[in-house]
Amino acid sequence: MTFIISLKDKLNRKPLETPHHCQMCLSHQKSTFSDLSNDAKDELSRLKTCVSFRKGQVIIHEGARPQGVYCIHNGKVKLYTMGTEGKEQIIRFITNGELIGYRSLLSDEPISASATALEDTFACYIPKSSFFKVIEENPKFSLKLLKMSCHELGEAGKMITSLAQKNVKERLAEILLILRATFGEDEEGYLNISLTREEIANMVGTATESVIRLISELKKEGYISSKGKRIAVADRGALQQIANIFE
Amino acid sequence: MFRIVGFNTIQETLKALLPFNASNLLLEEIVMQSSFIQFHGVGECLFKKGDSPLGFYFILHGKAEILIPGTESIKLVSGQMGGLDAFLEEEKLLFDVISCSPHLESIFIDRRCYEFIIKQAPFKKFIDQSLLRYVGAYRQLLVPPQSMFL
């Protein structure tokens, strides 16, 4: 079964409409599955389930053993672990076309980080049997997964170094740059993601009060601007200097 | 076959399974704080022996079983919970818990969600009853078969 989708059909579809077939998905080009053959996409589409999540709803919990992966069709998701005293440490964000849960499926271990929708999110749940069949039959896809896994390992290493060696202001500047690179900016130049100060603090790894103080400090210095929860990067170069990031 | 699972589907299923009349507000909060997990095949693992009990599964649809070596397994059906005993004891899982129906749907309740639901008296009673059912099922396995007395 192969679907031929015209560009017109794709443009006519609302972004949140549930895709019955991976070929029809608007996030398809960004997706990990983009290079797969039509047969492989048929296999993925055959058993998948579309699950919708409300803003703030938990998608997956640390410690569970889901026997499949989630591919985000539309939405923004935070990945975090629970520290002692129930404090969240945000590890990273997931957006359209990215996968959740593939590493625990490959390693046959429980999920190591929880995921919560930051806005109304649609995801496709692909069962283990379809996912593994596609891996076995598509060496290029397996290599892509390996690359993704290695990349995430590298990013985790960078995060450990950042948490261990950088001060809070340096980490905050780095996080703001990461958020800008991941989600981009809206028409007014604000980051295209709405995070509470607590969530930013959970990503930086500090107290909410410190983040509030440092955001107003960066604002006074003219490096960022803010309006309610929204933040805009005004001087990227200066933030890079503060964060000790060299391009 | 392609299916769509939304927030309301989970909430309605949960409402139908609970032995008391839970308010929609409460059910909504539970669905928000728990995670919906589905299993597509017999023998898929909900928990493996030795897993840390960071939560437990509440079965919405389908069947699961606790595999106890050398004896009968304990069957879990819709409305029952897998891994609850280890979760409450805060000890690693002693046995594998697997799905035993081709399609199983569940919600995973972690400690944060548990602490929320336990504050509601009917839920607390329900959890206590589920735990007693567990104890009963384990005790049943310890009773020697009738043939021993014949």
PDB file of all heavy atoms in Angstrom, chain A residues 9 14 17 30-31 43 60-61 69 74 86-87 89 108 116 126 131 143 152 154 161 166 179 185 189 220 227 245 247:
ATOM      1  N   ASP A   9      -2.471  18.641  -1.513  1.00  0.00           N
ATOM      2  CA  ASP A   9      -3.095  17.924  -0.396  1.00  0.00           C
ATOM      3  C   ASP A   9      -2.383  18.246   0.914  1.00  0.00           C
ATOM      4  O   ASP A   9      -3.000  18.463   1.945  1.00  0.00           O
ATOM      5  CB  ASP A   9      -3.040  16.409  -0.624  1.00  0.00           C
ATOM      6  CG  ASP A   9      -4.057  15.962  -1.651  1.00  0.00           C
ATOM      7  OD1 ASP A   9      -4.986  16.745  -1.921  1.00  0.00           O
ATOM      8  OD2 ASP A   9      -3.910  14.863  -2.190  1.00  0.00           O
ATOM      9  N   LYS A  14      -4.567  20.720   7.923  1.00  0.00           N
ATOM     10  CA  LYS A  14      -4.225  21.522   9.099  1.00  0.00           C
ATOM     11  C   LYS A  14      -3.028  20.861   9.777  1.00  0.00           C
ATOM     12  O   LYS A  14      -2.916  19.640   9.756  1.00  0.00           O
ATOM     13  CB  LYS A  14      -5.405  21.534  10.074  1.00  0.00           C
ATOM     14  CG  LYS A  14      -6.594  22.308   9.572  1.00  0.00           C
ATOM     15  CD  LYS A  14      -7.752  22.094  10.524  1.00  0.00           C
ATOM     16  CE  LYS A  14      -9.041  22.460   9.845  1.00  0.00           C
ATOM     17  NZ  LYS A  14     -10.170  21.803  10.467  1.00  0.00           N
ATOM     18  N   GLU A  17      -3.839  18.015  12.194  1.00  0.00           N
ATOM     19  CA  GLU A  17      -4.634  16.888  11.728  1.00  0.00           C
ATOM     20  C   GLU A  17      -3.828  15.597  11.856  1.00  0.00           C
ATOM     21  O   GLU A  17      -2.624  15.570  11.574  1.00  0.00           O
ATOM     22  CB  GLU A  17      -5.011  17.119  10.267  1.00  0.00           C
ATOM     23  CG  GLU A  17      -6.165  16.272   9.821  1.00  0.00           C
ATOM     24  CD  GLU A  17      -6.534  16.645   8.400  1.00  0.00           C
ATOM     25  OE1 GLU A  17      -6.764  17.843   8.159  1.00  0.00           O
ATOM     26  OE2 GLU A  17      -6.565  15.750   7.560  1.00  0.00           O
ATOM     27  N   LYS A  30      11.339  16.469   8.383  1.00  0.00           N
ATOM     28  CA  LYS A  30      12.241  16.676   9.527  1.00  0.00           C
ATOM     29  C   LYS A  30      12.468  15.370  10.283  1.00  0.00           C
ATOM     30  O   LYS A  30      13.334  15.281  11.141  1.00  0.00           O
ATOM     31  CB  LYS A  30      11.588  17.656  10.513  1.00  0.00           C
ATOM     32  CG  LYS A  30      11.636  19.088  10.131  1.00  0.00           C
ATOM     33  CD  LYS A  30      11.108  19.862  11.350  1.00  0.00           C
ATOM     34  CE  LYS A  30      10.672  21.246  11.013  1.00  0.00           C
ATOM     35  NZ  LYS A  30       9.962  21.846  12.140  1.00  0.00           N
ATOM     36  N   SER A  31      11.605  14.401  10.014  1.00  0.00           N
ATOM     37  CA  SER A  31      11.565  13.203  10.846  1.00  0.00           C
ATOM     38  C   SER A  31      12.771  12.281  10.658  1.00  0.00           C
ATOM     39  O   SER A  31      13.418  12.276   9.613  1.00  0.00           O
ATOM     40  CB  SER A  31      10.273  12.448  10.531  1.00  0.00           C
ATOM     41  OG  SER A  31      10.391  11.113  10.874  1.00  0.00           O
ATOM     42  N   GLU A  43       5.050  -0.052   6.714  1.00  0.00           N
ATOM     43  CA  GLU A  43       5.197  -0.928   7.890  1.00  0.00           C
ATOM     44  C   GLU A  43       4.985  -0.108   9.173  1.00  0.00           C
ATOM     45  O   GLU A  43       4.286  -0.541  10.087  1.00  0.00           O
ATOM     46  CB  GLU A  43       6.599  -1.566   7.872  1.00  0.00           C
ATOM     47  CG  GLU A  43       6.961  -2.403   9.087  1.00  0.00           C
ATOM     48  CD  GLU A  43       6.028  -3.584   9.311  1.00  0.00           C
ATOM     49  OE1 GLU A  43       5.596  -4.198   8.327  1.00  0.00           O
ATOM     50  OE2 GLU A  43       5.718  -3.885  10.496  1.00  0.00           O
ATOM     51  N   ILE A  60       5.442  10.253  29.008  1.00  0.00           N
ATOM     52  CA  ILE A  60       6.077   9.024  29.473  1.00  0.00           C
ATOM     53  C   ILE A  60       6.799   9.302  30.786  1.00  0.00           C
ATOM     54  O   ILE A  60       7.307  10.396  30.980  1.00  0.00           O
ATOM     55  CB  ILE A  60       7.048   8.475  28.383  1.00  0.00           C
ATOM     56  CG1 ILE A  60       7.487   7.058  28.699  1.00  0.00           C
ATOM     57  CG2 ILE A  60       8.243   9.340  28.159  1.00  0.00           C
ATOM     58  CD1 ILE A  60       6.444   6.049  28.420  1.00  0.00           C
ATOM     59  N   HIS A  61       6.810   8.300  31.652  1.00  0.00           N
ATOM     60  CA  HIS A  61       7.464   8.471  32.950  1.00  0.00           C
ATOM     61  C   HIS A  61       8.775   7.687  33.017  1.00  0.00           C
ATOM     62  O   HIS A  61       8.847   6.568  32.510  1.00  0.00           O
ATOM     63  CB  HIS A  61       6.564   7.935  34.066  1.00  0.00           C
ATOM     64  CG  HIS A  61       5.545   8.906  34.550  1.00  0.00           C
ATOM     65  ND1 HIS A  61       4.210   8.683  34.448  1.00  0.00           N
ATOM     66  CD2 HIS A  61       5.672  10.110  35.153  1.00  0.00           C
ATOM     67  CE1 HIS A  61       3.544   9.696  34.962  1.00  0.00           C
ATOM     68  NE2 HIS A  61       4.404  10.575  35.399  1.00  0.00           N
ATOM     69  N   VAL A  69       8.043   3.431  20.329  1.00  0.00           N
ATOM     70  CA  VAL A  69       8.601   4.784  20.371  1.00  0.00           C
ATOM     71  C   VAL A  69       7.525   5.802  19.982  1.00  0.00           C
ATOM     72  O   VAL A  69       6.599   5.477  19.251  1.00  0.00           O
ATOM     73  CB  VAL A  69       9.810   4.963  19.413  1.00  0.00           C
ATOM     74  CG1 VAL A  69      10.986   4.144  19.837  1.00  0.00           C
ATOM     75  CG2 VAL A  69       9.428   4.632  17.978  1.00  0.00           C
ATOM     76  N   ASN A  74       3.415  16.955  16.047  1.00  0.00           N
ATOM     77  CA  ASN A  74       3.290  18.394  16.219  1.00  0.00           C
ATOM     78  C   ASN A  74       3.307  18.733  17.700  1.00  0.00           C
ATOM     79  O   ASN A  74       2.495  18.196  18.445  1.00  0.00           O
ATOM     80  CB  ASN A  74       1.970  18.859  15.588  1.00  0.00           C
ATOM     81  CG  ASN A  74       1.965  20.340  15.365  1.00  0.00           C
ATOM     82  OD1 ASN A  74       2.116  21.102  16.307  1.00  0.00           O
ATOM     83  ND2 ASN A  74       1.830  20.755  14.128  1.00  0.00           N
ATOM     84  N   GLY A  86      12.226  15.662  44.585  1.00  0.00           N
ATOM     85  CA  GLY A  86      11.248  15.854  43.519  1.00  0.00           C
ATOM     86  C   GLY A  86      11.505  17.035  42.603  1.00  0.00           C
ATOM     87  O   GLY A  86      10.602  17.511  41.935  1.00  0.00           O
ATOM     88  N   LYS A  87      12.753  17.524  42.560  1.00  0.00           N
ATOM     89  CA  LYS A  87      13.055  18.666  41.676  1.00  0.00           C
ATOM     90  C   LYS A  87      13.407  18.156  40.281  1.00  0.00           C
ATOM     91  O   LYS A  87      14.185  17.234  40.125  1.00  0.00           O
ATOM     92  CB  LYS A  87      14.217  19.472  42.265  1.00  0.00           C
ATOM     93  CG  LYS A  87      14.370  20.813  41.587  1.00  0.00           C
ATOM     94  CD  LYS A  87      15.312  21.703  42.369  1.00  0.00           C
ATOM     95  CE  LYS A  87      15.813  22.865  41.536  1.00  0.00           C
ATOM     96  NZ  LYS A  87      14.776  23.690  40.944  1.00  0.00           N
ATOM     97  N   GLN A  89      15.078  18.118  36.623  1.00  0.00           N
ATOM     98  CA  GLN A  89      16.233  18.617  35.877  1.00  0.00           C
ATOM     99  C   GLN A  89      15.910  18.404  34.402  1.00  0.00           C
ATOM    100  O   GLN A  89      15.861  17.263  33.932  1.00  0.00           O
ATOM    101  CB  GLN A  89      17.516  17.871  36.270  1.00  0.00           C
ATOM    102  CG  GLN A  89      18.734  18.223  35.420  1.00  0.00           C
ATOM    103  CD  GLN A  89      19.187  19.683  35.570  1.00  0.00           C
ATOM    104  OE1 GLN A  89      19.406  20.158  36.679  1.00  0.00           O
ATOM    105  NE2 GLN A  89      19.280  20.392  34.451  1.00  0.00           N
ATOM    106  N   ASP A 108      16.847  -2.147  25.949  1.00  0.00           N
ATOM    107  CA  ASP A 108      15.978  -2.999  26.763  1.00  0.00           C
ATOM    108  C   ASP A 108      16.067  -2.617  28.246  1.00  0.00           C
ATOM    109  O   ASP A 108      16.217  -3.456  29.117  1.00  0.00           O
ATOM    110  CB  ASP A 108      16.328  -4.481  26.552  1.00  0.00           C
ATOM    111  CG  ASP A 108      15.243  -5.396  27.102  1.00  0.00           C
ATOM    112  OD1 ASP A 108      14.110  -4.929  27.241  1.00  0.00           O
ATOM    113  OD2 ASP A 108      15.539  -6.571  27.410  1.00  0.00           O
ATOM    114  N   THR A 116       7.096  15.472  29.153  1.00  0.00           N
ATOM    115  CA  THR A 116       5.814  16.165  29.345  1.00  0.00           C
ATOM    116  C   THR A 116       5.591  17.152  28.199  1.00  0.00           C
ATOM    117  O   THR A 116       6.538  17.821  27.767  1.00  0.00           O
ATOM    118  CB  THR A 116       5.812  16.905  30.705  1.00  0.00           C
ATOM    119  OG1 THR A 116       5.839  15.933  31.738  1.00  0.00           O
ATOM    120  CG2 THR A 116       4.572  17.767  30.890  1.00  0.00           C
ATOM    121  N   ILE A 126       4.705   4.103  17.741  1.00  0.00           N
ATOM    122  CA  ILE A 126       5.047   2.996  16.836  1.00  0.00           C
ATOM    123  C   ILE A 126       5.487   1.803  17.673  1.00  0.00           C
ATOM    124  O   ILE A 126       6.466   1.889  18.429  1.00  0.00           O
ATOM    125  CB  ILE A 126       6.168   3.432  15.871  1.00  0.00           C
ATOM    126  CG1 ILE A 126       5.656   4.604  15.026  1.00  0.00           C
ATOM    127  CG2 ILE A 126       6.620   2.287  14.983  1.00  0.00           C
ATOM    128  CD1 ILE A 126       6.710   5.509  14.527  1.00  0.00           C
ATOM    129  N   PHE A 131       8.982  -1.105  14.637  1.00  0.00           N
ATOM    130  CA  PHE A 131      10.217  -0.323  14.726  1.00  0.00           C
ATOM    131  C   PHE A 131      11.441  -1.216  14.489  1.00  0.00           C
ATOM    132  O   PHE A 131      12.336  -0.887  13.715  1.00  0.00           O
ATOM    133  CB  PHE A 131      10.276   0.344  16.106  1.00  0.00           C
ATOM    134  CG  PHE A 131      11.404   1.307  16.287  1.00  0.00           C
ATOM    135  CD1 PHE A 131      11.442   2.504  15.577  1.00  0.00           C
ATOM    136  CD2 PHE A 131      12.428   1.038  17.184  1.00  0.00           C
ATOM    137  CE1 PHE A 131      12.480   3.405  15.754  1.00  0.00           C
ATOM    138  CE2 PHE A 131      13.469   1.932  17.366  1.00  0.00           C
ATOM    139  CZ  PHE A 131      13.496   3.120  16.650  1.00  0.00           C
ATOM    140  N   LEU A 143      21.992   3.137  11.090  1.00  0.00           N
ATOM    141  CA  LEU A 143      23.154   4.018  11.236  1.00  0.00           C
ATOM    142  C   LEU A 143      22.705   5.406  11.709  1.00  0.00           C
ATOM    143  O   LEU A 143      23.362   6.027  12.553  1.00  0.00           O
ATOM    144  CB  LEU A 143      23.881   4.114   9.887  1.00  0.00           C
ATOM    145  CG  LEU A 143      25.267   4.756   9.929  1.00  0.00           C
ATOM    146  CD1 LEU A 143      26.221   3.931  10.774  1.00  0.00           C
ATOM    147  CD2 LEU A 143      25.826   4.903   8.522  1.00  0.00           C
ATOM    148  N   GLU A 152      23.404  12.467  21.100  1.00  0.00           N
ATOM    149  CA  GLU A 152      22.786  12.727  22.408  1.00  0.00           C
ATOM    150  C   GLU A 152      23.779  12.483  23.542  1.00  0.00           C
ATOM    151  O   GLU A 152      23.788  13.202  24.532  1.00  0.00           O
ATOM    152  CB  GLU A 152      21.554  11.843  22.600  1.00  0.00           C
ATOM    153  CG  GLU A 152      20.349  12.392  21.859  1.00  0.00           C
ATOM    154  CD  GLU A 152      19.139  11.494  21.980  1.00  0.00           C
ATOM    155  OE1 GLU A 152      19.021  10.755  22.966  1.00  0.00           O
ATOM    156  OE2 GLU A 152      18.312  11.530  21.054  1.00  0.00           O
ATOM    157  N   GLY A 154      27.005  12.872  23.318  1.00  0.00           N
ATOM    158  CA  GLY A 154      27.905  14.024  23.284  1.00  0.00           C
ATOM    159  C   GLY A 154      27.272  15.235  23.965  1.00  0.00           C
ATOM    160  O   GLY A 154      27.922  15.931  24.749  1.00  0.00           O
ATOM    161  N   THR A 161      29.521  18.880  31.777  1.00  0.00           N
ATOM    162  CA  THR A 161      30.629  19.833  31.916  1.00  0.00           C
ATOM    163  C   THR A 161      30.085  21.216  32.273  1.00  0.00           C
ATOM    164  O   THR A 161      30.618  21.898  33.145  1.00  0.00           O
ATOM    165  CB  THR A 161      31.410  19.927  30.582  1.00  0.00           C
ATOM    166  OG1 THR A 161      31.598  18.613  30.098  1.00  0.00           O
ATOM    167  CG2 THR A 161      32.737  20.621  30.746  1.00  0.00           C
ATOM    168  N   LYS A 166      30.496  25.673  34.749  1.00  0.00           N
ATOM    169  CA  LYS A 166      30.043  27.043  34.482  1.00  0.00           C
ATOM    170  C   LYS A 166      29.220  27.586  35.647  1.00  0.00           C
ATOM    171  O   LYS A 166      28.541  26.813  36.331  1.00  0.00           O
ATOM    172  CB  LYS A 166      29.199  27.070  33.202  1.00  0.00           C
ATOM    173  CG  LYS A 166      30.027  26.834  31.946  1.00  0.00           C
ATOM    174  CD  LYS A 166      29.216  26.999  30.700  1.00  0.00           C
ATOM    175  CE  LYS A 166      30.112  26.783  29.485  1.00  0.00           C
ATOM    176  NZ  LYS A 166      29.387  26.843  28.224  1.00  0.00           N
ATOM    177  N   LEU A 179      17.838  27.355  23.385  1.00  0.00           N
ATOM    178  CA  LEU A 179      16.394  27.485  23.111  1.00  0.00           C
ATOM    179  C   LEU A 179      16.164  28.214  21.787  1.00  0.00           C
ATOM    180  O   LEU A 179      15.292  27.839  21.003  1.00  0.00           O
ATOM    181  CB  LEU A 179      15.694  28.241  24.252  1.00  0.00           C
ATOM    182  CG  LEU A 179      15.597  27.499  25.588  1.00  0.00           C
ATOM    183  CD1 LEU A 179      15.011  28.411  26.653  1.00  0.00           C
ATOM    184  CD2 LEU A 179      14.724  26.255  25.456  1.00  0.00           C
ATOM    185  N   GLU A 185      12.683  31.911  16.537  1.00  0.00           N
ATOM    186  CA  GLU A 185      12.022  33.109  17.070  1.00  0.00           C
ATOM    187  C   GLU A 185      10.714  33.365  16.335  1.00  0.00           C
ATOM    188  O   GLU A 185      10.567  32.979  15.169  1.00  0.00           O
ATOM    189  CB  GLU A 185      12.934  34.321  16.884  1.00  0.00           C
ATOM    190  CG  GLU A 185      14.212  34.240  17.708  1.00  0.00           C
ATOM    191  CD  GLU A 185      15.251  35.259  17.274  1.00  0.00           C
ATOM    192  OE1 GLU A 185      15.275  35.632  16.083  1.00  0.00           O
ATOM    193  OE2 GLU A 185      16.037  35.675  18.126  1.00  0.00           O
ATOM    194  N   GLY A 189      10.410  38.456  17.362  1.00  0.00           N
ATOM    195  CA  GLY A 189      11.771  38.184  17.803  1.00  0.00           C
ATOM    196  C   GLY A 189      11.887  37.455  19.132  1.00  0.00           C
ATOM    197  O   GLY A 189      12.982  37.239  19.647  1.00  0.00           O
ATOM    198  N   LYS A 220      18.782  44.276  31.961  1.00  0.00           N
ATOM    199  CA  LYS A 220      19.363  45.602  32.248  1.00  0.00           C
ATOM    200  C   LYS A 220      20.605  45.837  31.398  1.00  0.00           C
ATOM    201  O   LYS A 220      20.850  46.931  30.921  1.00  0.00           O
ATOM    202  CB  LYS A 220      19.755  45.672  33.732  1.00  0.00           C
ATOM    203  CG  LYS A 220      18.723  46.382  34.591  1.00  0.00           C
ATOM    204  CD  LYS A 220      19.247  46.526  36.001  1.00  0.00           C
ATOM    205  CE  LYS A 220      18.073  46.458  36.967  1.00  0.00           C
ATOM    206  NZ  LYS A 220      18.524  46.128  38.320  1.00  0.00           N
ATOM    207  N   LYS A 227       8.914  40.033  27.932  1.00  0.00           N
ATOM    208  CA  LYS A 227       7.548  40.554  28.047  1.00  0.00           C
ATOM    209  C   LYS A 227       6.734  39.405  28.625  1.00  0.00           C
ATOM    210  O   LYS A 227       6.506  38.403  27.934  1.00  0.00           O
ATOM    211  CB  LYS A 227       7.054  40.941  26.652  1.00  0.00           C
ATOM    212  CG  LYS A 227       5.815  41.761  26.612  1.00  0.00           C
ATOM    213  CD  LYS A 227       5.609  42.145  25.142  1.00  0.00           C
ATOM    214  CE  LYS A 227       4.266  42.680  24.844  1.00  0.00           C
ATOM    215  NZ  LYS A 227       4.074  42.874  23.405  1.00  0.00           N
ATOM    216  N   ILE A 245      30.976  30.362  24.710  1.00  0.00           N
ATOM    217  CA  ILE A 245      30.789  29.524  23.524  1.00  0.00           C
ATOM    218  C   ILE A 245      31.520  30.194  22.370  1.00  0.00           C
ATOM    219  O   ILE A 245      31.342  31.385  22.117  1.00  0.00           O
ATOM    220  CB  ILE A 245      29.288  29.363  23.178  1.00  0.00           C
ATOM    221  CG1 ILE A 245      28.578  28.613  24.306  1.00  0.00           C
ATOM    222  CG2 ILE A 245      29.100  28.632  21.860  1.00  0.00           C
ATOM    223  CD1 ILE A 245      27.070  28.562  24.154  1.00  0.00           C
ATOM    224  N   GLU A 247      32.332  29.981  18.270  1.00  0.00           N
ATOM    225  CA  GLU A 247      31.910  29.333  17.018  1.00  0.00           C
ATOM    226  C   GLU A 247      33.110  29.159  16.095  1.00  0.00           C
ATOM    227  O   GLU A 247      33.995  29.980  16.072  1.00  0.00           O
ATOM    228  CB  GLU A 247      30.820  30.162  16.338  1.00  0.00           C
ATOM    229  CG  GLU A 247      29.480  29.904  16.961  1.00  0.00           C
ATOM    230  CD  GLU A 247      28.340  30.671  16.295  1.00  0.00           C
ATOM    231  OE1 GLU A 247      28.596  31.763  15.776  1.00  0.00           O
ATOM    232  OE2 GLU A 247      27.220  30.177  16.342  1.00  0.00           O
TER     233      GLU A 247
END
